Amino acid sequence: MARAFAPGKCILFGEHAVVYGYPAVAVAIDAGVEVSISESSKWTIEGTEFEPGRHPHITHIIRDVFDYNGRPLDIDIKSGLFSAAGLGSSAAISNAMGAALQFHLNPNAGLDRIALARMGHSAEAIAQDGRASPTDTATSALGGCVVVSGELVDGTEHVFDATLETPEGERSWSISKTTIPEDLDAWIVLGFTGVGSPTGKMVADVANLLEVEPSKTSDMEAIGNITNAGLAALSAGNLEAVGIAMNACHERLKSLQVSSPELEHLIAAAGPHSLGAKMTGAGGGGCMVALTRDPRRVAEAIEIAGGKPLISRLGAEGARIIRKT
Ligand code: PMV
């Protein structure tokens, strides 16, 4: 049997603005997806027949990336992520599947995380009609704190570049990492509203808003500046400044009309016990994130307000093979 784990992600700064070339900062979270594969007499997934059309990410990895023509596989997926919540669960599935299949075919080769990030990105692009930023897959594959931008951001360590042929033409991104101090006395608490986050619709709504209200581009520019300030604060371990930047980023996202009453409710509940709090990901539903020194209290506040909390360190380890113990 081959087993691999890939973490989910949380965008700390720059969602939506990254679509327009500004930087985004994301961290890998502790929760993620574990995929196990073993040879079998027939193709199955989670105990039922594997229907390729229902699992485009996995099918792409098996057929197009690995050109696999070995014995049928029994695929098992265990997810610790809320799905359609902006935590990158489909990217984590792609990455864990890619890592498990690579190990199954070549157990002696080390895991190439850049190749995995590229593989996951192409799987996301296929599943999302050619529109996928590499943020989720790169953060899940590489782990830690990842910066995705139209151009390399000063002070970060360049890892790889990604390009994608989208329906709107070719897009390219620079993917880099930044180091977060190891002894940070803070956690992030994610709060799921229970409402799905429709990324495609939210991105399209923002594009429409910018067309009818061009003055809103100032929010994009402001998010770009806040992201750079937040990134500098995070690298320096200045948690108070990170929290202030998160709050400021949220105000701009609200102005872009991507928050929701449910998100506002959870952010208000977490606020008194947090250094900063904001929506994370596409919005319209999905999750908020709070930075705090008291994660239990914030998790309780989120739960009492009707959300589902998830506590994580900032910048967990990236995708990995799970070896037999
Ligand atoms: O899919 P989510 O919820 O993690 O959000 C993606 C972030 C966006 O900036 C809204 C879209 C994108 O492609 O970067």
Side-chain angles (χ1 to χ4, degrees):
M1 182 193 283
R3 280 202 299 157
F5 176 86
K9 70 92 186 43
C10 165
I11 299 181
L12 288 180
F13 301 108
E15 50 273 89
H16 287 290
V18 68
V19 174
Y20 297 85
Y22 294 101
V25 178
V27 288
I29 60 173
D30 292 321
V33 173
E34 186 183 308
V35 170
S36 315
I37 53 174
S38 49
E39 291 189 352
S40 167
S41 57
K42 56 183 193 316
W43 283 93
T44 61
I45 187 158
E46 312 221 62
T48 60
E49 188 189 342
F50 180 73
E51 292 173 45
R54 291 190 58 201
H55 305 280
H57 300 79
I58 291 179
T59 303
H60 170 70
I61 285 170
I62 294 170
R63 287 188 185 163
D64 307 336
V65 177
F66 285 93
D67 195 16
Y68 180 79
N69 46 26
R71 293 192 56 201
L73 297 173
D74 186 9
I75 304 163
D76 190 42
I77 301 173
K78 284 197 193 81
S79 179
L81 299 171
F82 310 121
S83 60
L87 299 185
S89 83
S90 65
I93 290 175
S94 298
N95 283 347
M97 180 68 202
L101 192 52
Q102 192 213 287
F103 182 73
H104 177 70
L105 293 170
N106 192 355
N108 297 320
L111 188 62
D112 179 345
R113 287 186 164 142
I114 295 175
L116 197 62
R118 290 189 190 284
M119 193 187 303
H121 186 206
S122 65
E124 291 265 282
I126 298 263
Q128 294 174 25
D129 300 327
R131 289 186 194 88
S133 97
T135 312
D136 292 17
T137 44
T139 309
S140 173
L142 304 174
C145 182
V146 169
V147 182
V148 175
S149 183
E151 53 192 41
L152 182 62
V153 175
D154 280 352
T156 63
E157 182 199 328
H158 178 256
V159 184
F160 72 104
D161 292 319
T163 52
L164 184 69
E165 201 54 59
T166 74
E168 289 78 32
E170 189 177 271
R171 285 182 62 190
S172 53
W173 298 269
S174 167
I175 291 115
S176 58
K177 285 191 78 168
T178 191
T179 312
I180 304 180
E182 267 175 27
D183 53 354
L184 276 191
D185 174 30
W187 287 260
I188 48 175
V189 186
L190 292 145
F192 182 37
T193 55
V195 180
S197 173
T199 304
K201 178 188 176 296
M202 299 314 291
V203 171
D205 285 356
V206 170
N208 289 338
L209 180 69
L210 293 177
E211 214 172 297
V212 295
E213 261 186 79
S215 62
K216 294 278 181 188
T217 34
S218 63
D219 288 318
M220 290 295 177
E221 279 162 28
I223 292 177
N225 292 334
I226 293 165
T227 299
N228 286 324
L231 178 61
L234 191 60
S235 311
N238 183 349
L239 295 171
E240 276 72 18
V242 176
I244 290 169
M246 287 170 73
N247 290 340
C249 188
H250 184 68
E251 286 307 312
R252 294 295 179 165
L253 289 164
K254 249 169 47 181
S255 169
L256 292 173
Q257 301 172 11
V258 289
S259 188
S260 72
E262 293 86 356
L263 284 165
E264 292 303 315
H265 186 56
L266 298 187
I267 290 167
H273 318 291
S274 303
L275 295 155
K278 63 184 274 292
M279 53 162 273
T280 179
C287 287
M288 48 69 70
V289 57
L291 178 73
T292 179
R293 292 199 171 91
D294 194 350
R296 285 194 186 285
R297 176 155 294 200
V298 172
E300 278 161 13
I302 287 172
E303 203 153 18
I304 289 166
K308 292 185 190 138
L310 192 62
I311 298 174
S312 176
R313 288 169 297 161
L314 283 96
E317 198 194 333
R320 53 199 177 266
I321 303 295
I322 303 172
R323 304 203 180 257
K324 284 189 198 112
T325 45

